[in-house]
């Protein structure tokens, strides 16, 4: 009879791209992870994980985990592979990469990665060193947040604000462009606390999401009109004496110009017309916001996935400066807390190794980079593609074109993955990557102020390896002999921590698993010189004129409005996250894909009637880029003129998913993606 080993508990952190960055404990018995337990006394995790990560053990031990290197044996995209050894894989990949460098130059190799893991080590450390040493093209990682964060930086000089657990004392909370209960669920306990003390919850979203339903007030504006709403509200704040002149005088640059701008240009009626809202609604919002000192706005990324997304965030970001809400701890606004983390990313990534003049390719334009070599993106065509931490065949805009690029027989593609994603199907080589239970990592967060350490709980599944180790081995195979490729993951973590200014310690992190990077109850942007040209909050930001934008916040018409001809039958399509998935991650986990059900499309009864469509109909959503099928749900949750399809499913059904119709147009600031600025027609399938 064998003796049962004692369970071992290891503390880790959720690696996914989510503002909550939850801490959990993994129980391991006989080398097998048996339980994932949320940390109960973590101030943000508070003893619960989300629907998705509650299934993380199923994900880790899934039958479809990639467990060995795989070499393609069939046509691209068909998923025919044979297993191979690491030695064979590394030898062949290094040979192919060297031959591409010889015939086309190193810049014809493109890394493509995003946030499959948010860890500093497994996201970009050895990988960045590898590509910088190789001299590969640089990738602008703009698919998610760059419009909003660029706008925030030009306004405040850094990205910070109250963390998820700090907002419970506010009397008014506004959730702006975010489906909190799905994409930021650990903000909810503090929202509940505030509401228990009488706070009002407002949700600003064109869709009646589960979050909008749970709010006291839902403002269902027209997609892409947020800047107009913020400027209309500001008009009332200045007109009716709700502005905090003391705060503005002390902390803001150009506020009198802003005041004159909104008073003369942004009547409530003009804003209401653009937002397609009753003027009273804007009035009501402004009155509430203006008469509440302790207010908090949670901006999130949904509102900035439109052409004018940067300008929208910028206009909204100035609201707490006008009322002086920043004066109160836990009040003001948060888009991201990312500037609070001072890890030494340069030591990890070695940008000093980048050859001078290396071209940059915007990840949102992968379609052009792969299908129009020598055009669009400038410089040599892309002949080698190394994908890790991302699933571009599903997540990138204009996916029909992206997939036709991935299918090019003359493109050498390596995909480092945990699963056979849609992207992996197009690879020449698939390399097996570890999950968070199997590797070391260090995490910042973007919705709170706790850094976290992830300690591996189990040995790697199959022959999988951490990204860092894969790039170490690739470097060796490429004959890169720099000592920097010899550093271990723990050494990399120490290097990153050394840059954190003594705020964090290995001792605390390894004992507790997480540690605050700044004291709780911080009042943001109220003291000291800010990192803007004026040193103050920039109501006037002259730096924006470099982007062809006005220095004062303004409204920019969405692509869909510019392109839609009056009287046309086009609708604006929103494709926000599905509750049960994380972007395209978890879509292959049977219990979660079953819970999510088939792809649906939400449509207002008015739009359904004019198209003679009924609830339950099989419909096709289309434009000149592509199409995807869905089951119609006729519901007032979608406002007239706007339809919604939650994403992002894999192409198991042969379709290319919602991104078949999205375009690769870029936002006004940050060259971000414009996923939600998409015009489509909908008809019977
Ligand atoms: N369950 C789950 N959680 C996630 C993710 C996931 O896929 N699934 N993804 C993670 C990632 S990577 C991110 S970036 C975040 C994203 O999460 P959020 O920042 O919340 O952003 P989105 O989900 O893109 O959009 C949220 C809401 O914005 C609304 N919206 C669309 N257009 C507009 C507009 O013009 N104005 C306004 N006011 N609202 C608009 C949409 O209807 C949607 O309800 O969530 C993270 N969390
Ligand atoms: N239409 C539409 N498209 C969108 C969005 C939308 O709202 N609508 N959202 C956009 C947003 S906000 C984002 S952030 C992007 C997200 O785009 P991605 O960052 O590509 O997100 P995922 O789909 O989660 O794919 C991540 C992949 O990384 C893999 N992975 C996880 N951990 C590791 C690891 O340690 N090593 C390796 N090698 N692989 C790992 C996972 O298995 C997964 O397949 O999608 C964007 N696309
Ligand atoms: S995805 Fe977000 S909510 Fe879910 S466990 Fe991870 S950090 Fe927490
Ligand atoms: Mo994202």
């Amino acid at each position: 009879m064998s003796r049962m080993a004692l369970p071992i508990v290891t503390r880790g952190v959720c690696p996914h791209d989510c503002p909550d960055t939850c801490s959990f404990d993994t129980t391991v018995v006989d080398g097998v992870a048996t339980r994932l337990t949320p940390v109960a006394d973590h101030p943000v995790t508070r003893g619960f994980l989300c629907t998705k990560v509650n299934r993380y053990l199923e994900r880790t031990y899934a039958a479809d985990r990639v467990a060995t290197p795989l070499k393609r044996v069939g046509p691209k995209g068909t998923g025919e592979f044979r297993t191979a050894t690491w030695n064979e894989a590394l030898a062949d990949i290094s040979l192919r990469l060297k031959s591409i460098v010889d015939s086309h130059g190193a810049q014809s190799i493109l890394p493509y990665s995003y946030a499959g893991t948010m860890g500093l080590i497994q996201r970009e450390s050895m990988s960045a060193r590898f590509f910088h040493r190789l001299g590969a093209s640089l990738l602008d990682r703009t698919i998610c947040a760059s419009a909003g964060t660029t706008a925030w930086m030009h306004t405040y000089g850094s990205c910070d604000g109250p963390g998820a657990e700090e907002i419970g004392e506010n009397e008014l909370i506004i959730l702006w462009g975010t489906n909190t209960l799905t994409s930021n669920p650990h903000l909810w306990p503090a929202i509940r606390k505030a509401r228990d003390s009488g706070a009002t919850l407002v949700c600003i979203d064109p869709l009646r999401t589960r979050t909008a339903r749970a709010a006291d007030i839902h403002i269902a504006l027209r997609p892409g009109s947020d800047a107009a709403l913020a400027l209309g509200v500001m008009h009332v704040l200045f007109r009716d004496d709700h502005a905090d002149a003391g705060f503005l005088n002390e902390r803001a640059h150009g506020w009198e110009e802003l005041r004159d701008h909104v008073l003369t240009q942004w009547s409530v009626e003009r804003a209401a017309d653009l937002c397609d809202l009753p003027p009273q609604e804007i009035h009501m919002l402004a009155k509430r916001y203006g008469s509440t000192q302790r207010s908090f706005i949670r901006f999130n990324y949904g509102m900035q996935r439109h052409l004018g997304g940067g300008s929208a965030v910028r206009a909204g970001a100035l609201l707490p400066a006008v009322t002086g809400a920043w004066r109160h701890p836990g009040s003001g606004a948060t888009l991201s807390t990312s500037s609070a983390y001072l890890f030494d990313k340069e030591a990890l990534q070695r940008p000093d190794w980048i050859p001078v003049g290396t071209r940059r390719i915007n990840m949102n334009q992968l379609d052009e980079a792969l299908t129009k070599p020598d055009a669009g993106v400038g410089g040599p065509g892309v002949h080698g593609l190394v994908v890790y931490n991302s699933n571009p065949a599903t997540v990138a805009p204009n996916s029909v074109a992206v997939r036709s690029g991935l299918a090019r027989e003359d493109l050498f593609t390596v995909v480092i993955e945990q699963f056979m994603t849609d992207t992996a199907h197009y690879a020449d080589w698939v390399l097996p990557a570890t999950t968070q239970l199997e590797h070391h990592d260090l995490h910042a967060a973007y919705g709170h102020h706790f850094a976290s350490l992830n300690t591996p709980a189990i040995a790697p599944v199959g022959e999988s390896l951490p990204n860092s180790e894969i790039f170490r081995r690739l470097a060796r195979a490429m004959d890169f002999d720099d000592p920097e490729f010899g550093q271990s993951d723990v050494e990399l973590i120490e290097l990153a921590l050394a840059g954190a200014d003594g705020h964090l310690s290995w001792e605390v992190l390894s004992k507790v698993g997480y540690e605050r990077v700044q004291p709780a109850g911080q009042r943001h942007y109220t003291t000291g010189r800010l990192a803007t040209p004026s040193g103050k909050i920039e109501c006037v930001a002259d730096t924006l004129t470099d982007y062809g934008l006005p220095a004062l916040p303004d409204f920019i018409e969405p692509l869909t409005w510019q392109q839609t001809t009056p009287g046309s039958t086009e609708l604006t399509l929103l494709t926000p996250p599905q509750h049960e998935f994380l972007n395209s991650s978890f879509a292959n986990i049977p219990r979660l894909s079953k819970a999510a059900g088939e792809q649906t499309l939400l449509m207002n009864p008015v739009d359904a009637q004019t198209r003679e469509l009924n609830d339950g109909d099989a419909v096709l959503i289309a434009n000149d880029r592509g199409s995807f099928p869905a089951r119609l749900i006729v519901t007032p949750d979608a406002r007239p003129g706007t339809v919604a399809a939650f994403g992002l499913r894999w192409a198991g059904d042969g379709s290319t998913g919602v991104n078949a119709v999205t375009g690769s147009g870029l936002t006004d600031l940050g060259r971000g993606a414009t996923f939600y600025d998409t015009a489509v027609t909908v008809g019977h399938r």
Side-chain angles (χ1 to χ4, degrees):
M1 217 174 80
S2 71
R3 248 182 318 132
M4 269 283 279
L6 283 176
I8 298 169
V9 177
T10 309
R11 186 146 289 186
V13 54
C14 174
H16 287 293
D17 188 353
C18 167
D20 298 358
T21 313
C22 295
S23 288
F24 53 62
D25 289 322
T26 309
T27 307
V28 177
V29 181
D30 272 337
V32 179
T34 55
R35 216 154 80 94
L36 201 69
T37 321
V39 173
D41 55 4
H42 186 297
V44 179
T45 306
R46 296 178 60 124
F48 73 100
L49 301 173
C50 62
T51 317
K52 313 163 294 275
V53 175
N54 276 326
R55 301 275 165 235
Y56 203 73
L57 294 187
E58 282 166 55
R59 191 173 185 276
T60 301
Y61 292 121
D64 55 342
R65 257 305 278 281
V66 180
T68 65
L70 297 170
K71 185 173 167 51
R72 177 169 68 89
V73 292
K76 287 201 172 189
T78 59
E80 292 166 49
F81 291 86
R82 68 161 169 83
T83 59
T85 62
W86 274 107
N87 281 344
E88 185 194 353
L90 293 167
D92 188 58
I93 292 169
S94 56
L95 209 66
R96 296 288 302 267
L97 292 180
K98 282 177 186 170
S99 117
I100 292 170
V101 173
D102 286 346
S103 33
H104 304 284
Q107 292 199 56
S108 65
I109 297 172
L110 178 70
Y112 187 99
S113 69
Y114 200 64
T117 170
M118 296 287 287
L120 273 92
I121 309 306
Q122 307 308 341
R123 188 176 185 181
E124 302 296 345
S125 61
M126 282 297 166
S127 52
R129 290 179 181 186
F130 178 84
F131 291 110
H132 295 163
R133 177 70 174 75
L134 181 66
S137 284
L138 298 168
L139 184 76
D140 274 338
R141 293 178 172 80
T142 47
I143 201 165
C144 173
S146 60
T149 49
T150 306
W152 203 275
M153 295 298 281
H154 280 280
T155 308
Y156 288 100
S158 65
C159 268
D160 208 350
E165 84 292 11
E166 294 177 290
I167 62 144
E169 309 289 324
N170 286 290
E171 290 155 25
L172 175 66
I173 296 177
I174 302 178
L175 304 174
W176 199 323
T178 176
N179 186 1
T180 309
L181 284 169
T182 284
S183 50
N184 181 193
H186 290 80
L187 191 66
W188 210 258
I191 291 176
R192 207 182 297 125
K193 180 178 172 216
R195 292 176 99 184
D196 286 347
S197 313
T200 303
L201 183 67
V202 178
C203 176
I204 303 177
D205 194 312
L207 285 184
R208 190 149 61 121
T209 59
R210 63 177 77 212
T211 304
R213 266 195 291 273
D216 300 301
I217 298 168
H218 174 206
I219 297 181
L221 79 184
R222 197 175 171 196
S225 67
D226 301 80
L229 177 60
L231 294 164
V233 167
M234 238 182 259
H235 174 97
V236 179
L237 296 179
F238 281 114
R239 188 195 65 195
D240 295 355
D241 268 343
H242 294 301
D244 184 338
F247 183 83
L248 288 166
N249 270 328
E250 198 190 323
R251 301 299 301 164
H253 165 71
W255 74 270
E256 281 137 323
E257 282 169 69
L258 174 67
R259 178 196 58 198
D260 297 346
H261 170 65
V262 295
L263 285 178
T264 56
Q265 306 293 313
W266 282 99
S267 68
V268 170
E269 288 65 30
R270 180 180 176 207
D273 187 45
L274 290 167
C275 299
D276 190 25
L277 290 171
Q280 311 83 279
E281 222 165 298
I282 298 183
H283 237 268
M284 174 276 299
L285 177 66
K287 283 305 211 187
R288 273 183 192 268
Y289 190 70
S291 56
T292 313
Q293 267 290 298
R294 302 213 58 170
S295 65
F296 173 72
I297 309 178
R298 183 60 162 104
F299 293 105
N300 223 322
Y301 295 115
M303 64 185 288
Q304 44 107 67
R305 306 195 200 287
H306 301 267
L307 180 67
S311 293
V313 170
R314 181 162 149 69
L318 284 169
L319 288 168
V322 175
T323 64
W326 291 115
R327 288 178 187 278
H328 308 278
S331 298
T334 302
L335 174 72
S336 163
T337 58
S338 50
S339 297
Y341 295 85
L342 304 171
F343 295 126
D344 195 346
K345 284 195 186 164
E346 299 205 344
L348 294 180
Q349 301 176 358
R350 301 307 301 260
D352 53 313
W353 289 3
I354 300 170
V356 177
T358 303
R359 64 119 174 239
R360 313 185 72 90
I361 293 183
N362 188 318
M363 71 190 297
N364 297 320
Q365 294 173 319
L366 185 65
D367 55 348
E368 297 208 355
L370 295 185
T371 57
K372 296 186 195 157
D374 303 315
V377 294
V382 175
H383 294 277
L385 180 72
V386 183
V387 179
Y388 52 103
N389 297 338
S390 188
N391 181 13
T394 304
V395 308
N398 201 10
S399 60
V400 179
V402 167
R403 284 169 196 232
S404 78
L406 289 171
R408 267 172 48 204
E409 279 298 333
D410 64 334
L411 177 72
F412 177 64
T413 303
V414 178
V415 175
I416 306 174
E417 250 302 344
Q418 299 160 340
F419 294 98
M420 284 305 294
T421 58
D422 291 345
T423 308
H425 277 99
Y426 290 93
D428 293 279
W429 277 101
V430 182
L431 302 178
T434 45
T435 71
Q436 190 77 340
L437 302 190
E438 303 151 61
H439 55 228
H440 286 279
D441 222 326
L442 175 68
H443 285 251
Y446 61 98
H448 59 70
H449 299 99
F450 294 89
S452 316
L453 186 72
N454 185 71
T455 306
I458 56 171
V461 167
E463 292 175 31
S464 64
L465 292 173
N467 291 342
S468 53
E469 180 59 19
I470 295 174
F471 283 101
R472 258 180 222 115
R473 292 186 188 194
L474 275 174
R476 222 173 298 139
M478 295 292 288
D479 308 314
F480 299 161
D481 53 9
D482 316 68
E484 286 82 353
F485 289 112
Q487 286 170 329
S488 70
D489 287 359
V490 171
E491 284 170 326
L492 290 174
I493 291 175
E494 283 167 349
L495 206 56
L497 281 177
D501 256 2
H503 274 76
L504 297 168
S505 77
W506 181 265
E507 287 68 34
V508 176
L509 283 171
S510 52
K511 205 154 109 205
V512 186
Y514 53 88
E515 189 179 2
R516 254 190 194 285
V517 292
Q518 65 175 226
Q522 193 94 340
R523 298 181 320 133
H524 298 272
Y525 307 117
T526 50
T527 52
R529 194 185 155 82
L530 305 184
T532 53
S534 65
K536 294 185 169 190
I537 301 167
E538 299 229 322
C539 299
V540 172
D542 289 319
T543 47
L544 290 178
T545 54
D546 298 345
Y547 299 83
L549 289 179
L552 283 161
D554 219 331
F555 163 75
I556 291 178
E557 220 175 66
L559 284 166
T560 41
W561 304 13
Q562 294 178 22
Q563 292 166 356
T564 311
T565 38
S568 89
T569 57
E570 287 177 322
L571 299 159
T572 295
L573 171 71
L574 305 178
T575 50
Q578 174 78 36
H579 191 69
E580 293 82 3
F581 308 152
L582 204 128
N583 302 315
S584 76
S585 296
F586 294 95
N588 61 321
I589 304 303
R591 263 206 266 201
L592 293 170
S593 64
K594 189 159 174 263
E598 68 179 318
Q599 180 72 62
T600 58
L601 182 80
L602 311 189
M603 183 186 275
N604 189 273
V606 172
D607 292 323
Q609 202 177 12
T610 54
R611 286 166 185 75
E612 296 181 1
L613 293 169
N614 294 304
D615 194 73
D617 281 357
V619 292
L620 193 70
I621 297 94
N623 59 22
D624 55 7
R625 286 180 285 266
S627 65
F628 68 93
R631 182 74 52 192
L632 191 70
I633 297 180
V634 177
T635 168
D637 291 352
R639 41 170 290 134
T642 301
V643 285
F646 293 89
L648 299 163
R649 284 165 177 77
W650 293 15
D653 56 1
S655 104
T656 45
V658 297
N659 277 319
V661 296
T662 59
S664 50
L666 302 178
T667 52
D668 54 346
L669 277 172
R671 294 164 54 78
T674 51
F675 288 114
Y676 302 167
D677 206 348
T678 300
V680 294
T681 57
V682 180
H684 278 114
R685 212 187 299 164

